[in-house]
Amino acid sequence: MGSSREEARGTAAPSGLVSVVRLPHCWFILCTSSELGRKPLARMLQGVPLVLFRAADGKPGALADRCPHRNVPLSLGRVVGGQLQCGYHGWRFDTAGQCRAVPGFTGEPEAKSRCAVWYATREQEGFVWVYSTPGVEPTHEPYRFPLLNAPGYSTVRRVLRAKGSLHALLENTLDVPHTSFLHGGLFRTEKKRGEIDVVVRRGADRVEAEYIGEPRPEGLVGRLLAPGGGVLRHFDRFLMPSIAQVEYQLGADSHMMVTSAMTPVEDWDTLVYAVVTFRLPLPHWLIKPFITPVALHIFQQDARILERQTETIRRFGSESFASTEVDVLGPSILRLMRQAERDKTSAAPAEVHETRLKMQV
Amino acid sequence: MGSSREEARGTAAPSGLVSVVRLPHCWFILCTSSELGRKPLARMLQGVPLVLFRAADGKPGALADRCPHRNVPLSLGRVVGGQLQCGYHGWRFDTAGQCRAVPGFTGEPEAKSRCAVWYATREQEGFVWVYSTPGVEPTHEPYRFPLLNAPGYSTVRRVLRAKGSLHALLENTLDVPHTSFLHGGLFRTEKKRGEIDVVVRRGADRVEAEYIGEPRPEGLVGRLLAPGGGVLRHFDRFLMPSIAQVEYQLGADSHMMVTSAMTPVEDWDTLVYAVVTFRLPLPHWLIKPFITPVALHIFQQDARILERQTETIRRFGSESFASTEVDVLGPSILRLMRQAERDKTSAAPAEVHETRLKMQV
Amino acid sequence: MGSSREEARGTAAPSGLVSVVRLPHCWFILCTSSELGRKPLARMLQGVPLVLFRAADGKPGALADRCPHRNVPLSLGRVVGGQLQCGYHGWRFDTAGQCRAVPGFTGEPEAKSRCAVWYATREQEGFVWVYSTPGVEPTHEPYRFPLLNAPGYSTVRRVLRAKGSLHALLENTLDVPHTSFLHGGLFRTEKKRGEIDVVVRRGADRVEAEYIGEPRPEGLVGRLLAPGGGVLRHFDRFLMPSIAQVEYQLGADSHMMVTSAMTPVEDWDTLVYAVVTFRLPLPHWLIKPFITPVALHIFQQDARILERQTETIRRFGSESFASTEVDVLGPSILRLMRQAERDKTSAAPAEVHETRLKMQV
């Protein structure tokens, strides 16, 4: 009974705003494996309240967070024998949404009208993924993080959150020009600009920018990171529907990959599951303590701006977007997202188009 | 000038929600007699702000709580000689809404355009009732509580409030299955279930469920309540538009009636004027102190669930209702309410239809 | 790109409310000269967020408070060489809204699509005025306060704010009947009423009421204010679009002018830039300390009522206005405002119509 409505909410684009997209048929991380224990866990995906719980065999289940009986949130109840029991009348549901008990009722509990709305789930690499369209079994699997178990690599994971749209966060994460300005001093500065080449490769489900000729870190830092010398390679990548990936390679010795799998909680609230994998010529126990505070500092500067951006869009009731070619990835990301919103499934892989531009860094 | 608008607000059903009903031509309790003293009293009925005050002869009056002159709430003013005086320019109104004074104006104050919107009122049995349609003299009188002055009976009154719709509260009050679950242990338990018969009687303005074969309280309690033995009779009744009544009879000695007259303050905010009348073989001074704390404990559990139910409907922007036959009264109550909302007056009394079902308790 | 939308918001009247008006092509005070220093200043005009800053030559500029690039409020940035620099990517704008720098971009920054929405400004008499229609050069100049530098006159300035519509504040400021009621005792009382004549003069951009025969202050006060005797003259004036002026003249010696230039911040939030100019036979250093506390006391009583008026309109979702002839100016003010909202420019000066009425004071 409730299913068509939830689906509608999950796919309808809000009125008049260009950059807010609701993506059907996509996998998103809803929690980490360790967050989902014996109690039901209330989460939100693209504005739809969900409840996660574990079946008797430990597999995660996800239902719309309201009992089909009387609209009480199922997350208020508890898990009994791998079934989720509503706290009001005690109706029970399995991970397929099937009603399995109706206390007091002498008939059979299983009836189509009494089903809860269910969502496909996967648990892998320490994350619980949920499929954004309810009631269907997906034909593709969630994203896998690169280099997680590669020899010589270390991993740092963090969960972040900002009051911005999925698109705003994706663009921000993969945007170069704001770094020297907003994060000025930290890893790029406004002074001493030089011109570099940017190669942009656009595919059916991704877009990538390669920065060529970017200066290497100077002095001691450069020598520490690349004792054998070599050039700096830098890629910014967007992978449908919500992965932002920044890759740095410095000579043969230094390699760092920051992969951010984002989850649109609501239109203006986005969770970021960040996985940093790296191989550096310095002892990793020495590096690791620095990664989180530096990343958090940068992220907090961005989060503050993104929140003000959201606030401004709300106050004006409209959006303004004027781009130049150094807004390298943002417009392409939005095009891919809006296409996915319309088609509801990602298109067949097409050939990659390559373009070039100049940027001052 | 404002009258047609208030009436519209009082009768229009909100968009798309099945269970929210606005009832015209109905009596609701707005306050107790003792709450209405010398000062004007601001209240809300079905989303419409009202102000109550007493005329010179002590009779209660009710007006829409805004001055027709400049929209200031009349409840901000004071009562002068049985007229309600606005606090801004001092315009005065009688209980019929007639404007009786316009300070500074040299003409006659009485003019149709200067009338306040008025509502019929009645004061009886310690309650002030207000009619939900403004500007008309009702053709029927408010409900009278049973057994208030019956010999051998005692009465306890309480005012309660919950963030749920009128329908949700009515159904909750008359619902049996949730008691053994939500209030588990208190008066029914999940274990030791037996099957009983339920007789449902549906009339033009009421619906009643009679529970037959319900087990009597065991041991000492049963012997205390019914020293002469006898069977337990239990009725749950809904009386249009907003009365929920639970009646227990145990042998010849014990009789208890819990009558809840509910007032829809706003769509998701309901006041309950509860009147408990009882005759028990134990001393009433011994019983009375227990009634309020036990009833409050139960009510608080219900109120918490009802608030979460409301919250969930709001978050989803829609409702989900899937019932079984052990949702004995809820669907019938809603049918009667929606019919009253459409017809605007209650139909002539029709014959009573009786049906039967089984329930595990 | 954003310009048409801002303009739309600045001129569209909200749904169904009679008294809420959005006035295009009008000058409003946005801040005092001293409030606008080296930092950008965020303000709101008729619901549109604006940012004010000073160009290199000190002249004030006003832009819509969002960067056309990515919707971040420009007021979050800083002023660099008389240009406003966005805090996200560092785009810079001059007071004409022209984009003057796009860090990282190798092309020319100036492009029409990259312009910020600009508003004409004037700075005079210690106030910064902004024109309510963006992107146009006004054909008329802001209002000038009377008697600011007249010999023998003193001036007191205050900024006030109330949660009421522009119209509600204008009417309240120029309304006589509420004074003896709401501010009873302070300068008029309900008792001892006498009848006086009121002459009303309605022009194309103004309306004025002259009160004839009003009693002079009694006893010592009257003798102090008008030692040479003489009659009391009292005018209440409204000047389009938002000036309320109260003028008192008592004999040849006392003259006081309270001019309130109002700014509609949002539909229900109004700023009042009050300028009191006066010439009195008492030492001005003796008078001045009393003006502010007495005026504030009166204003706070009014502000409280206006806030409740706003609240009531919101709760009912509609307005009720029933007037008598002693609502001398309110209806005329509304007529002029609504006409200006439709025509978008004030009409050519027309002849003045004079009418008379009686009022009890």
Side-chain angles (χ1 to χ4, degrees):
Chain A
M1 178 175 180
S3 135
S4 62
R5 167 62 80 132
E6 265 88 330
E7 184 160 359
R9 280 178 61 91
T11 57
S15 58
L17 295 181
V18 178
S19 77
V20 175
V21 179
R22 306 255 177 102
L23 295 168
H25 299 282
C26 291
W27 287 105
F28 296 105
I29 298 175
L30 267 277
C31 64
T32 65
S33 289
S34 61
E35 286 174 315
L36 186 56
R38 291 172 171 216
K39 291 183 181 175
L41 185 67
R43 293 279 149 140
M44 183 88 95
L45 178 59
Q46 298 193 122
V48 180
L50 301 182
V51 56
L52 280 72
F53 66 105
R54 290 194 184 278
D57 61 3
K59 284 201 183 141
L63 304 178
D65 192 12
R66 69 163 161 188
C67 184
H69 180 215
R70 286 298 181 269
N71 298 290
V72 164
L74 290 167
S75 56
L76 209 63
R78 57 205 186 98
V79 184
V80 178
Q83 294 172 358
L84 185 52
Q85 181 185 54
C86 179
Y88 193 1
H89 294 82
W91 287 28
R92 289 190 199 172
F93 303 90
D94 62 22
T95 56
Q98 185 72 57
C99 180
R100 305 295 291 270
V102 175
F105 181 49
T106 59
E108 285 303 308
E110 291 85 359
K112 190 143 190 226
S113 67
R114 290 195 281 277
C115 284
V117 176
W118 69 277
Y119 293 77
T121 64
R122 296 288 186 275
E123 187 167 16
Q124 65 186 34
E125 300 170 339
F127 295 112
V128 177
W129 296 77
V130 172
Y131 198 61
S132 63
T133 297
V136 298
E137 199 46 67
T139 54
H140 67 288
E141 293 300 301
Y143 177 77
R144 289 191 175 270
F145 290 91
L147 303 172
L148 268 192
N149 302 309
Y153 281 80
S154 291
T155 300
V156 173
R157 296 171 181 227
R158 282 294 171 273
V159 186
L160 305 160
R161 187 167 194 163
K163 292 285 177 195
S165 70
L166 174 59
H167 177 259
L169 263 85
L170 287 166
E171 176 174 47
N172 171 273
T173 305
L174 300 175
D175 174 66
V176 167
H178 86 284
T179 54
S180 58
F181 192 79
L182 181 63
H183 313 303
L186 250 178
F187 50 93
R188 286 185 190 90
T189 57
E190 258 194 287
K191 324 270 169 190
K192 293 197 257 169
R193 287 179 175 280
E195 219 169 87
I196 62 162
D197 284 296
V198 187
V199 180
V200 184
R201 298 184 190 92
R202 293 179 178 82
D205 65 345
R206 65 190 58 208
V207 51
E208 173 187 277
E210 183 180 353
Y211 298 86
I212 295 165
E214 235 178 321
R216 275 193 304 164
E218 289 176 11
L220 182 66
V221 175
R223 242 172 283 171
L224 283 172
L225 291 175
V231 295
L232 175 68
R233 300 188 66 191
H234 167 198
F235 298 89
D236 286 341
R237 274 182 210 106
F238 166 69
L239 310 172
M240 274 294 291
S242 68
I243 312 286
Q245 192 168 66
V246 179
E247 183 175 4
Y248 284 106
Q249 197 148 11
L250 182 53
D253 305 294
S254 291
H255 187 205
M256 178 177 281
M257 201 98 142
V258 183
T259 306
S260 301
M262 301 198 183
T263 301
V265 177
E266 297 190 82
D267 290 339
W268 307 103
D269 185 5
T270 300
L271 269 166
V272 180
Y273 293 88
V275 174
V276 183
T277 44
F278 62 94
R279 181 169 51 89
L280 293 174
L282 302 166
H284 288 188
W285 59 262
L286 196 71
I287 303 286
K288 271 187 157 180
F290 291 94
I291 288 182
T292 300
V294 169
L296 279 186
H297 178 82
I298 293 172
F299 185 79
Q300 274 151 14
Q301 289 181 325
D302 285 324
R304 181 171 157 265
I305 284 282
L306 291 163
E307 184 165 358
R308 298 303 304 272
Q309 179 180 354
T310 292
E311 198 184 296
T312 303
I313 291 170
R314 282 191 167 147
R315 288 174 83 188
F316 277 88
S318 69
E319 293 175 314
S320 170
F321 288 107
S323 298
T324 70
E325 63 174 11
V326 299
D327 294 298
V328 179
L329 297 180
S332 299
I333 293 171
L334 187 55
R335 210 171 304 122
L336 284 173
M337 289 171 79
R338 297 201 67 88
Q339 189 180 310
E341 183 181 42
R342 280 194 309 271
D343 294 354
K344 298 192 175 165
T345 49
S346 55
E351 57 184 304
V352 171
H353 290 277
E354 200 171 294
T355 56
R356 296 179 86 91
L357 59 101
K358 300 274 183 200
M359 185 186 291
Q360 284 178 323
V361 293
Chain B
M1 176 176 182
S3 138
S4 62
R5 166 62 80 133
E6 266 88 330
E7 184 160 0
R9 280 178 61 90
T11 58
S15 57
L17 295 180
V18 177
S19 78
V20 175
V21 179
R22 304 251 179 104
L23 296 167
H25 299 283
C26 290
W27 287 105
F28 296 105
I29 297 176
L30 267 278
C31 66
T32 65
S33 289
S34 61
E35 286 174 315
L36 187 55
R38 291 170 173 220
K39 290 182 180 173
L41 186 67
R43 293 279 148 140
M44 182 89 95
L45 177 60
Q46 298 193 121
V48 180
L50 302 182
V51 56
L52 280 71
F53 67 105
R54 291 195 184 276
D57 61 3
K59 283 199 182 143
L63 305 178
D65 192 12
R66 69 163 159 189
C67 184
H69 179 215
R70 286 298 181 268
N71 298 289
V72 165
L74 290 167
S75 56
L76 209 63
R78 56 202 187 101
V79 183
V80 178
Q83 294 172 359
L84 185 51
Q85 181 186 55
C86 178
Y88 193 0
H89 294 83
W91 287 28
R92 288 191 200 170
F93 303 90
D94 61 23
T95 56
Q98 185 73 55
C99 180
R100 305 293 291 269
V102 175
F105 181 50
T106 59
E108 285 303 307
E110 291 84 1
K112 191 145 191 222
S113 66
R114 290 194 281 276
C115 284
V117 176
W118 69 278
Y119 293 78
T121 64
R122 295 287 186 277
E123 187 165 15
Q124 65 186 35
E125 300 171 340
F127 295 112
V128 177
W129 297 76
V130 172
Y131 198 61
S132 63
T133 297
V136 298
E137 199 45 67
T139 55
H140 67 288
E141 293 300 302
Y143 177 77
R144 288 190 175 269
F145 290 91
L147 303 172
L148 269 191
N149 302 308
Y153 281 80
S154 291
T155 300
V156 174
R157 296 171 181 226
R158 282 293 171 274
V159 185
L160 306 160
R161 186 167 194 163
K163 292 285 177 196
S165 71
L166 173 59
H167 177 260
L169 263 87
L170 287 167
E171 175 173 49
N172 171 274
T173 304
L174 301 175
D175 175 67
V176 166
H178 86 282
T179 55
S180 60
F181 191 79
L182 180 63
H183 312 304
L186 249 179
F187 51 95
R188 286 185 190 87
T189 58
E190 260 196 287
K191 325 269 168 188
K192 292 197 257 169
R193 286 181 175 278
E195 220 169 86
I196 62 161
D197 284 296
V198 187
V199 180
V200 184
R201 300 185 190 92
R202 292 180 179 81
D205 65 345
R206 64 191 57 207
V207 52
E208 173 187 278
E210 182 180 354
Y211 297 86
I212 295 165
E214 233 178 321
R216 274 193 305 162
E218 288 176 12
L220 182 65
V221 173
R223 242 171 283 170
L224 283 173
L225 291 175
V231 296
L232 175 68
R233 299 189 68 193
H234 166 197
F235 298 88
D236 286 341
R237 277 183 206 104
F238 166 68
L239 310 172
M240 274 293 291
S242 69
I243 311 285
Q245 192 169 64
V246 179
E247 182 176 4
Y248 284 106
Q249 197 149 10
L250 184 53
D253 305 296
S254 292
H255 187 206
M256 178 177 280
M257 200 98 142
V258 183
T259 307
S260 300
M262 301 198 183
T263 302
V265 178
E266 297 191 82
D267 290 339
W268 306 103
D269 185 5
T270 301
L271 269 166
V272 181
Y273 292 88
V275 174
V276 184
T277 45
F278 62 94
R279 181 170 51 92
L280 294 173
L282 302 166
H284 289 189
W285 58 264
L286 196 71
I287 304 285
K288 269 187 158 179
F290 292 95
I291 288 182
T292 301
V294 169
L296 279 186
H297 177 82
I298 293 171
F299 185 79
Q300 274 150 15
Q301 289 181 326
D302 285 323
R304 181 171 157 264
I305 283 282
L306 291 164
E307 183 165 358
R308 298 301 306 271
Q309 180 180 354
T310 293
E311 197 184 297
T312 302
I313 291 170
R314 282 191 166 145
R315 289 174 83 187
F316 277 89
S318 69
E319 293 174 314
S320 171
F321 289 106
S323 299
T324 71
E325 63 175 11
V326 299
D327 294 298
V328 180
L329 297 180
S332 300
I333 293 171
L334 187 55
R335 210 172 303 123
L336 284 173
M337 289 171 79
R338 297 199 68 87
Q339 189 180 312
E341 184 180 42
R342 279 194 310 272
D343 294 354
K344 297 191 178 167
T345 49
S346 56
E351 58 184 303
V352 171
H353 290 276
E354 200 171 294
T355 56
R356 295 179 85 91
L357 60 101
K358 300 272 182 199
M359 184 186 290
Q360 285 176 324
V361 292
Chain C
M1 177 177 180
S3 136
S4 61
R5 167 60 81 131
E6 265 88 327
E7 183 160 1
R9 279 178 62 90
T11 58
S15 58
L17 296 181
V18 177
S19 77
V20 175
V21 179
R22 306 253 179 103
L23 296 167
H25 298 282
C26 291
W27 286 107
F28 296 105
I29 297 175
L30 266 279
C31 65
T32 64
S33 288
S34 61
E35 286 174 315
L36 185 56
R38 290 171 173 219
K39 291 184 180 173
L41 186 67
R43 293 279 149 141
M44 182 89 95
L45 178 60
Q46 298 193 121
V48 180
L50 301 182
V51 56
L52 280 71
F53 66 106
R54 291 194 183 278
D57 61 1
K59 283 200 184 144
L63 305 178
D65 192 12
R66 68 163 161 188
C67 185
H69 180 214
R70 285 299 181 267
N71 297 290
V72 165
L74 290 167
S75 56
L76 209 62
R78 55 203 187 99
V79 183
V80 178
Q83 294 172 359
L84 185 52
Q85 182 185 54
C86 178
Y88 193 0
H89 293 83
W91 288 28
R92 287 190 201 170
F93 303 91
D94 60 23
T95 56
Q98 185 73 56
C99 180
R100 304 295 291 269
V102 175
F105 181 48
T106 59
E108 285 301 309
E110 291 84 1
K112 190 145 191 224
S113 67
R114 289 195 281 278
C115 283
V117 175
W118 69 278
Y119 293 78
T121 64
R122 295 288 186 277
E123 187 167 14
Q124 64 186 36
E125 300 171 339
F127 295 112
V128 177
W129 296 77
V130 172
Y131 197 63
S132 64
T133 297
V136 298
E137 198 46 65
T139 54
H140 67 289
E141 293 299 302
Y143 177 76
R144 288 192 175 269
F145 290 90
L147 304 171
L148 267 192
N149 302 308
Y153 281 80
S154 292
T155 300
V156 173
R157 296 171 180 227
R158 282 294 171 273
V159 185
L160 305 161
R161 186 168 194 161
K163 292 284 176 195
S165 71
L166 174 59
H167 176 259
L169 264 86
L170 287 166
E171 176 173 48
N172 170 274
T173 305
L174 301 175
D175 175 66
V176 167
H178 86 282
T179 54
S180 58
F181 193 79
L182 180 62
H183 311 304
L186 250 179
F187 51 94
R188 286 187 189 88
T189 58
E190 259 196 288
K191 325 270 169 192
K192 294 196 254 169
R193 287 181 175 280
E195 220 170 85
I196 61 162
D197 284 295
V198 187
V199 181
V200 184
R201 299 184 190 93
R202 292 180 178 81
D205 66 345
R206 65 191 56 207
V207 52
E208 173 188 277
E210 183 179 353
Y211 297 86
I212 295 165
E214 234 178 320
R216 274 193 305 162
E218 288 176 11
L220 182 66
V221 174
R223 242 171 283 172
L224 283 172
L225 290 175
V231 297
L232 175 67
R233 299 189 66 192
H234 166 198
F235 298 88
D236 287 341
R237 275 183 208 103
F238 166 68
L239 310 174
M240 275 292 292
S242 69
I243 312 286
Q245 192 169 66
V246 178
E247 183 175 3
Y248 283 105
Q249 198 149 9
L250 182 53
D253 305 294
S254 291
H255 188 205
M256 178 178 279
M257 199 100 141
V258 182
T259 306
S260 301
M262 302 197 183
T263 301
V265 177
E266 297 190 82
D267 290 341
W268 305 103
D269 186 5
T270 301
L271 269 166
V272 181
Y273 292 88
V275 174
V276 183
T277 43
F278 62 95
R279 182 169 51 90
L280 294 173
L282 302 165
H284 289 187
W285 58 261
L286 196 72
I287 303 286
K288 270 187 156 180
F290 291 95
I291 289 183
T292 300
V294 169
L296 279 185
H297 177 82
I298 294 172
F299 186 81
Q300 274 152 13
Q301 288 181 326
D302 285 323
R304 181 171 157 264
I305 284 282
L306 291 164
E307 183 165 358
R308 298 302 304 273
Q309 180 181 356
T310 292
E311 198 184 295
T312 302
I313 292 170
R314 282 191 165 145
R315 290 174 82 187
F316 278 88
S318 68
E319 292 173 315
S320 171
F321 288 106
S323 298
T324 71
E325 62 175 11
V326 299
D327 294 298
V328 180
L329 297 180
S332 300
I333 292 171
L334 188 54
R335 210 171 304 122
L336 284 173
M337 289 172 78
R338 298 201 67 89
Q339 188 180 313
E341 184 181 43
R342 280 194 309 272
D343 294 354
K344 297 191 178 170
T345 49
S346 56
E351 55 184 307
V352 171
H353 290 278
E354 201 171 293
T355 57
R356 298 179 85 90
L357 60 100
K358 299 274 182 198
M359 185 186 289
Q360 285 177 324
V361 294

